[in-house]
C-alpha cells in the first residue's frame, strides 16, 4: 500500500475520534466553562498558574511525546505494518486519549490534585501510598531509558572517534533552548504579550537557535552529557513551571509539530510505497505478538506516564474547563499520528521487506531528513534539525518525569497538612523538594547504566500497567461522583492482562540469565529484577484495592466533593 493512503486513513480516523468520541466523553461527564479552575483557586506562581490553552497544549504534548511514539512503532514493525497501524489508531482513540483526558478531567474537578491524592480521596490512604511508590519506581525507569537515549544522541563522536556534527549541533541547540526558555519565561511573565506576539517571537527564537546551534556545535562525549542532563533535570524539577518548563515546552512544540508537518508533506511529495509486509505472523524472532506488540508500541497508543503529566502539571494550569478536551484528548491524537508517521518512515526505508539497520531514532531522523530535502532544505540543515527533534522528543518528557518523580517521592512522606508544616525529623527531610529530587535522579542514573535497550521492555510493561491502574482509579471517581464510567472497563482489563503477562515474561527472562544462560550482572539485571518484582507486587495491590472500591457500589456512591 502507498504510504500516502496510510497517512490519510490515520488522519481521518484520529480526527473522527476527537470530534465524535472525545466530544461525547466531554458531554457525558460534563464540562462547565464558567467554573473556577484550580489554576485560579490555588494560584501560587509556581505550579498553579492560569495559562492559555495553546501553551498548556504545548506543555502536555511536548511532555508526553517522548521517545515512545518513534521507538515503539518502529520496533513493533517486525510484526508487520497492519497490526501496528491498527493498535496506534484503536489504542489511541479508545485507550490512550481516554486515559489522558479522564485523568486531566478528574484532577481539574478535584483542585488540580495528583493521581495519588485522588486515589486517597476515592479509594483510601493505603491505595495512595502503594500508587505513589509504584509511580515513583516507574519514573526511575523513564529517567533511565530517556537519559541514555538523549545522552547518546548528544554524543559528539562516533564509535571510531570521528566527530559527529549533527549530534553536536543538536546538543548545542538543546542547551540554547534551556537558556532561551528561561529568558522567554521571564519575558512572558512580566511583559505579558498577547498570543499572536508570543507565537511570532517563539518562531523567531526557534529559527535563531537552530542557526546558532548548527554554526557552533558542542563536541562532548556521552558521559559528559549524562552529567549535564542530570544537572538540567535537577533545575527543571525545582524551578517554577513558568520559568523553565512551560516556555521550553512551548518552544519545543514548534519544533515537534514542524517535524510532523515536514514528514507528512514529504510523504505527500514522495508518496513512497510501504515496503514492509502487512503481517509477519504471531511470533517473530522468538517474540510473540501478544503481549510484545502492545508494550513495545507503548506511548503511541496508551501510556500511564501521560496521566502523571495530566494530573501532575497540566491540570494546575488549565484556565477554562472547555480547554481540557483539546489538551487531554487532542494531544494524544497528535501523538498517535506521530507514531503512524514513524511507521510510514520505516516502511519507506525498508528494502526487500526488511527494516534498515540502526537504532529507531537513527532510522527515523535519517529518513525524515531525506523527506525534508525534497522541500528544498539543505541536507546538513535537515539532518541537524531532525537530530535535534528526536532528542527533544525524549528531553521534553525527561524534565516532566523528573519533576513528577520528585513530587511522588515527596507525597509519600507528607502528613495531613498539605504544606508539610506537621512534618518532623526524617519525614521532613524526605519531603524536602531538593532532597527528593536528588534521590530520584540518583536511582534513575543507576538504572541508566544498563542502557535503554535493557530498560525499554520493563519500561513499556510498567508504563501500561500504570495506565490500567489509573483507569481503575478514574472509574471509581466517575462512579462515586455519579458519572458514567463503563467506557473505561474494557481498556483497564485488557491492559492489566497485557502488562502482567509482559512483566512475568521479563522476570522469567532474568531468572534464566541467573540459572540457565548466564551473563547476569547485578547492577543491570539485578536492579531490573528488583524493580520488576516491586512493580508487579505494587500493581497487584493497587488493582485489588481499586477493584474492591469499584465493585462495592453502595460504598463507592457516597457523596463526593468533586465539582
Amino acid at each position: 500500500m502507498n504510504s500516502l493512503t496510510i497517512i490519510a486513513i490515520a488522519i481521518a480516523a484520529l480526527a473522527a475520534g476527537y470530534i465524535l468520541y472525545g466530544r461525547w466523553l466531554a458531554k457525558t461527564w460534563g464540562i462547565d466553562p464558567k467554573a473556577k479552575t484550580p489554576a485560579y483557586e490555588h494560584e501560587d506562581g509556581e505550579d498553579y498558574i492560569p495559562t492559555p490553552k495553546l501553551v498548556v497544549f504545548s506543555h502536555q504534548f511536548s511532555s508526553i511525546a517522548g521517545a515512545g511514539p518513534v521507538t515503539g512503532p518502529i520496533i513493533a514493525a517486525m510484526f508487520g505494518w497492519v497490526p501496528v497501524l491498527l493498535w496506534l489508531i484503536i489504542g489511541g482513540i479508545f485507550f490512550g486519549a481516554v486515559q489522558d483526558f479522564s485523568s486531566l478531567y478528574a484532577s481539574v474537578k478535584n483542585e488540580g490534585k495528583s493521581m495519588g491524592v485522588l486515589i486517597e480521596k476515592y479509594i483510601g490512604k493505603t491505595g495512595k501510598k502503594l500508587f505513589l511508590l509504584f509511580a515513583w519506581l516507574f519514573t526511575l525507569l523513564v529517567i533511565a531509558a530517556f537519559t541514555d537515549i538523549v545522552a547518546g544522541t548528544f554524543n559528539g563522536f562516533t564509535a571510531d572517534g570521528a566527530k559527529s556534527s549533527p549530534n553536536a549541533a543538536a546538543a548545542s541547540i538543546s542547551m540554547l533552548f534551556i537558556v532561551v526558555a528561561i529568558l522567554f519565561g521571564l519575558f512572558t511573565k512580566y511583559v505579558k504579550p498577547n498570543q499572536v506576539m508570543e507565537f511570532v517571537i517563539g518562531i523567531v527564537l526557534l529559527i535563531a537557535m537552530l542557526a546558532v546551534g548548527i554554526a557552533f556545535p558542542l563536541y562532548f562525549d556521552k558521559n559528559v552529557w549524562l552529567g549535564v542532563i542530570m544537572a538540567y533535570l535537577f533545575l527543571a524539577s525545582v524551578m517554577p513551571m513558568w520559568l523553565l518548563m512551560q516556555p521550553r515546552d512551548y518552544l519545543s512544540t514548534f519544533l515537534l509539530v514542524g517535524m510532523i508537518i515536514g514528514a507528512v508533506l514529504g510523504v505527500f511529495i514522495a508518496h513512497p510505497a510501504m515496503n514492509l509486509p502487512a503481517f509477519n505472523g504471531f511470533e517473530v524472532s522468538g517474540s510473540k505478538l501478544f503481549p510484545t506488540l502492545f508494550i513495545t508500541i507503548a506511548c503511541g497508543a496508551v501510556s500511564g506516564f501521560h496521566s502523571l503529566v495530566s494530573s501532575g502539571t497540566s491540570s494546575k494550569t488549565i484556565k477554562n474547563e472547555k480547554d481540557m478536551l483539546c489538551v487531554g484528548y487532542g494531544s494524544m491524537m497528535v501523538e498517535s499520528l506521530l507514531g503512524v508517521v514513524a511507521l510510514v518512515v520505516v516502511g519507506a526505508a525498508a528494502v526487500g521487506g526488511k527494516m534498515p539497520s540502526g537504532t529507531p531514532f537513527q532510522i527515523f531522523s535519517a529518513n525524515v531528513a531525506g523527506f525534508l530535502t525534497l522541500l528544498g532544505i539543505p541536507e546538513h540543515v535537515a539532518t541537524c534539525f531532525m537530530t535535534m527533534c528526536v532528542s527533544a522528543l525524549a528531553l521534553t518528557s525527561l524534565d516532566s518525569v523528573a519533576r513528577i518523580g520528585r513530587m511522588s517521592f515527596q507525597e509519600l512522606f507528607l502528613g495531613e497538612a498539605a504544606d508539610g508544616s506537621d512534618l518532623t525529623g526524617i519525614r521532613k527531610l524526605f519531603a524536602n523538594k531538593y532532597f527528593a529530587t536528588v534521590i530520584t535522579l540518583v536511582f534513575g542514573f543507576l538504572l541508566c547504566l544498563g542502557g535503554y535497550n535493557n530498560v525499554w521492555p520493563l519500561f513499556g510493561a510498567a508504563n501500561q500497567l500504570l495506565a490500567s491502574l489509573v483507569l481503575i482509579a478514574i472509574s471509581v471517581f466517575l462512579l462515586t461522583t455519579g458519572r458514567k464510567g463503563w467506557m473505561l472497563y474494557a481498556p483497564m482489563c485488557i491492559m492489566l492482562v497485557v502488562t502482567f503477562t509482559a512483566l512475568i515474561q521479563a522476570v522469567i527472562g532474568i531468572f534464566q540469565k541467573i540459572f540457565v544462560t548466564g551473563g547476569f550482572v547485578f547492577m543491570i539485571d539485578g536492579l531490573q529484577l528488583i524493580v520488576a518484582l516491586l512493580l508487579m507486587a505494587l500493581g497487584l495491590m493497587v488493582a485489588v484495592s481499586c477493584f474492591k472500591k469499584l465493585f462495592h457500589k453502595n460504598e463507592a456512591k457516597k457523596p463526593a466533593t468533586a465539582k
Side-chain angles (χ1 to χ4, degrees):
M1 182 180 287
N2 190 281
S3 296
L4 187 58
T5 306
I6 296 173
I7 290 285
I9 291 172
I11 291 175
L14 295 172
Y18 178 85
I19 294 169
L20 300 176
Y21 194 56
R23 288 181 178 175
W24 176 77
L25 289 175
K27 183 179 180 180
T28 301
W29 293 336
I31 297 292
D32 183 3
K34 297 181 180 179
K36 193 174 183 180
T37 63
Y40 286 106
E41 290 182 329
H42 303 287
E43 187 173 359
D44 60 6
E46 292 217 8
D47 293 313
Y48 291 86
I49 308 166
T51 308
K53 178 170 67 175
L54 178 59
V55 178
V56 185
F57 176 89
S58 299
H59 165 70
Q60 178 81 7
F61 175 66
S62 295
S63 297
I64 68 175
V70 170
T71 302
I74 290 178
I75 296 175
M78 63 182 178
F79 293 106
W81 65 266
V82 169
V84 176
L85 179 65
L86 289 175
W87 180 235
L88 283 169
I89 294 175
I90 296 171
I93 293 173
F94 297 105
F95 288 64
V98 172
Q99 182 226 213
D100 295 9
F101 175 49
S102 63
S103 54
L104 178 64
Y105 179 87
S107 182
V108 170
K109 290 292 188 180
N110 284 275
E111 302 181 3
K113 301 299 184 183
S114 69
M115 283 306 307
V117 178
L118 291 178
I119 287 176
E120 178 182 22
K121 180 176 181 179
Y122 294 101
I123 296 168
K125 290 185 177 180
T126 301
K128 171 195 172 182
K129 295 294 184 183
L130 292 171
F131 179 84
L132 286 173
L133 184 54
F134 182 98
W136 182 70
L137 287 171
F138 170 72
T139 63
L140 301 185
L141 291 173
V142 182
I143 292 171
F146 287 15
T147 298
D148 184 71
I149 289 172
V150 174
T153 304
F154 286 175
N155 185 2
F157 303 96
T158 61
D160 59 2
K163 288 185 175 181
S164 174
S165 59
N167 288 16
S172 180
I173 298 168
S174 295
M175 295 303 102
L176 284 171
F177 255 83
I178 296 169
V179 176
V180 171
I182 294 174
L183 296 175
F184 190 63
L186 290 168
F187 173 76
T188 55
K189 170 78 171 178
Y190 295 109
V191 177
K192 294 180 171 52
N194 60 44
Q195 291 191 45
V196 175
M197 181 185 294
E198 195 174 33
F199 177 83
V200 172
I201 292 173
I203 293 292
V204 171
L205 288 174
L206 176 62
I207 294 171
M209 285 186 288
L210 288 171
V212 173
I214 292 172
F216 301 99
L218 295 175
Y219 291 98
F220 297 107
D221 63 21
K222 182 178 179 178
N223 291 330
V224 171
W225 287 118
L226 283 173
V228 172
I229 292 167
M230 285 293 166
Y232 165 69
L233 294 183
F234 178 84
L235 293 176
S237 298
V238 300
M239 291 173 69
M241 285 283 294
W242 64 266
L243 184 56
L244 178 56
M245 286 185 61
Q246 276 190 344
R248 188 188 183 285
D249 290 341
Y250 181 75
L251 294 171
S252 295
T253 299
F254 293 126
L255 197 69
L256 302 180
V257 172
M259 174 188 69
I260 296 174
I261 293 173
V264 172
L265 287 176
V267 171
F268 270 83
I269 293 173
H271 47 83
M274 170 58 75
N275 297 320
L276 289 173
F279 183 59
N280 277 332
F282 291 97
E283 184 172 348
V284 177
S285 300
S287 297
K288 297 183 183 298
L289 182 72
F290 179 88
T292 307
L293 176 79
F294 304 95
I295 63 163
T296 302
I297 291 177
C299 309
V302 57
S303 167
F305 166 62
H306 297 185
S307 68
L308 302 184
V309 177
S310 293
S311 66
T313 54
S314 296
S315 63
K316 298 173 175 61
T317 59
I318 290 286
K319 283 183 69 174
N320 192 303
E321 285 193 6
K322 65 183 181 181
D323 297 345
M324 291 191 290
L325 179 64
C326 173
V327 172
Y329 203 100
S331 59
M332 184 62 222
M333 293 296 89
V334 179
E335 179 162 1
S336 292
L337 178 59
L338 177 56
V340 174
V341 170
L343 174 64
V344 166
V345 167
V346 71
V351 177
K354 294 184 179 180
M355 290 187 288
S357 59
T359 66
F361 268 14
Q362 289 171 338
I363 297 169
F364 183 77
S365 60
N367 289 281
V368 175
F371 287 159
L372 295 179
T373 60
L374 298 175
L375 303 176
I377 299 174
E379 183 178 354
H380 178 66
V381 174
T383 304
C384 291
F385 173 76
M386 281 308 306
T387 305
M388 172 60 205
C389 285
V390 295
S391 63
L393 283 171
L395 197 57
T396 49
S397 290
L398 259 177
D399 51 22
S400 290
V401 82
R403 192 181 188 93
I404 292 166
R406 179 265 289 178
M407 294 168 69
S408 298
F409 189 85
Q410 283 181 281
E411 287 183 21
L412 273 170
F413 299 97
L414 285 176
E416 296 298 325
D419 60 359
S421 57
D422 59 341
L423 298 179
T424 58
I426 193 72
R427 288 183 66 190
K428 186 174 183 178
L429 173 65
F430 282 9
N432 178 275
K433 71 176 181 179
Y434 300 104
F435 182 84
T437 301
V438 170
I439 288 293
T440 301
L441 295 180
V442 166
F443 279 97
F445 177 77
L446 290 176
L447 282 170
C448 174
L449 298 177
Y452 89 93
N453 282 322
N454 290 307
V455 177
W456 193 263
L458 188 56
F459 155 72
N463 189 16
Q464 296 191 318
L465 176 55
L466 177 60
S468 62
L469 299 180
V470 168
L471 288 169
I472 303 171
I474 298 298
S475 298
V476 175
F477 156 74
L478 293 172
L479 180 65
T480 304
T481 56
R483 296 175 170 93
K484 295 178 181 179
W486 56 265
M487 61 287 289
L488 274 62
Y489 295 171
M492 71 187 186
C493 292
I494 291 171
M495 297 321 301
L496 272 177
V497 174
V498 167
T499 51
F500 270 104
T501 303
L503 283 171
I504 290 170
Q505 288 179 346
V507 170
I508 291 173
I510 295 174
F511 276 121
Q512 285 179 335
K513 277 190 175 183
I514 298 174
F515 300 109
V516 182
T517 61
F520 177 83
V521 179
F522 179 79
M523 284 301 294
I524 297 176
D525 303 300
L527 286 176
Q528 290 183 44
L529 177 62
I530 293 169
V531 171
L533 292 173
L534 282 172
L535 288 173
M536 289 173 62
L538 290 169
L540 185 61
M541 288 187 283
V542 173
V544 170
S545 178
C546 292
F547 272 128
K548 282 182 179 179
K549 193 75 174 183
L550 181 61
F551 293 111
H552 282 71
K553 294 187 178 180
N554 293 331
E555 182 183 357
K557 287 187 177 179
K558 291 179 180 178
T561 57
K563 299 174 185 176

